[in-house]
Amino acid sequence: MNKHLKAELYRTVHTGRFFIYYLLCVAGIFFIMFGTNVNIEQYDFRIMIANMSQFSSMIVGTGLGTMLALLQGGLYSSRMYFYEVMDGAKTHHIIFSKLITQLLLSLIYVVPTAVAMSFVLNKYGAQEMEKPWIAILLYAVITIHICLRVTLLTMLAGRLLVAVVLPYAITMLEVVPIILQELLQNTIFAIPDSFLEWFPSLQMMNLFELCEQPGFIVRVLLSFALNMILLYGIVCHKYSKKHF
């Protein structure tokens, strides 16, 4: 397992411009989150979470997601993947090495963001929010969920062009229930709010309003676990049945 993880990290860092583009994307999103639209006199953690939850619901999936898909999809052109399988590497080792690598890449954004959010919380306060630290943890969980989901879907697609389109397409599709809810809210077919809280993009969008509700927290954690189990099983099946 260690050799596959080291190989995956090496290939990722040495993808050249794609890895640099990812770092630039992280820096750009971080700057937009914390470097713009800041009114110091009226700035507090509550306002920051409200702004970030709305902005992140789109930019994390389409920004970080697309860059991670590019990195992962670009590596599929390398014959090292074929050599790993032909060398007798275990399917779980191959998949886990990629998941861990993408997890570490997502932490390049998540950790500084969590630190900055903690700084704002300590400096300006959270006003009426009773458990502001839960918002930070949920923001990290949802972001990692989106990033790892992109990783598994990219492995499932196996093509660079499809991988690039996937993050944007999925983020857009997750907005459809919101539109349907607005259209159907006065009918017997109205979509319940609890159903919408199972989609990570919509979880991010509703983070400010719902982060302290136990039901929302359970749905965030459970959707993460179920999504990973389902996609991992599909990818594992694909790898075990594929003939190189």
Side-chain angles (χ1 to χ4, degrees), residues 31-133:
F31 174 77
I32 293 173
M33 291 288 192
F34 298 98
T36 60
N37 301 321
V38 177
N39 185 346
I40 298 299
E41 295 180 356
Q42 299 180 349
Y43 197 62
D44 58 45
F45 183 77
R46 176 181 55 86
I47 295 174
M48 183 195 68
I49 287 294
N51 292 337
M52 288 183 65
S53 63
Q54 295 299 312
F55 186 79
S56 297
S57 62
M58 298 294 292
I59 199 64
V60 169
T62 58
L64 291 184
T66 299
M67 292 309 303
L68 288 172
L70 271 171
L71 279 168
Q72 186 70 27
L75 289 175
Y76 266 90
S77 62
S78 171
R79 286 195 171 273
M80 287 299 296
Y81 281 109
F82 300 98
Y83 296 152
E84 285 180 345
V85 177
M86 292 168 62
D87 190 44
K90 294 182 179 179
T91 302
H92 297 291
H93 289 180
I94 296 174
I95 299 174
F96 267 116
S97 65
K98 293 164 179 51
L99 281 175
I100 294 173
T101 300
Q102 298 292 70
L103 171 63
L104 294 175
L105 287 174
S106 67
L107 292 180
I108 294 176
Y109 170 77
V110 170
V111 172
T113 301
V115 171
M117 293 167 73
S118 302
F119 173 80
V120 173
L121 174 61
N122 291 328
K123 186 173 179 62
Y124 300 108
Q127 299 300 326
E128 70 271 17
M129 292 186 69
E130 296 180 0
K131 301 176 181 179
W133 291 101

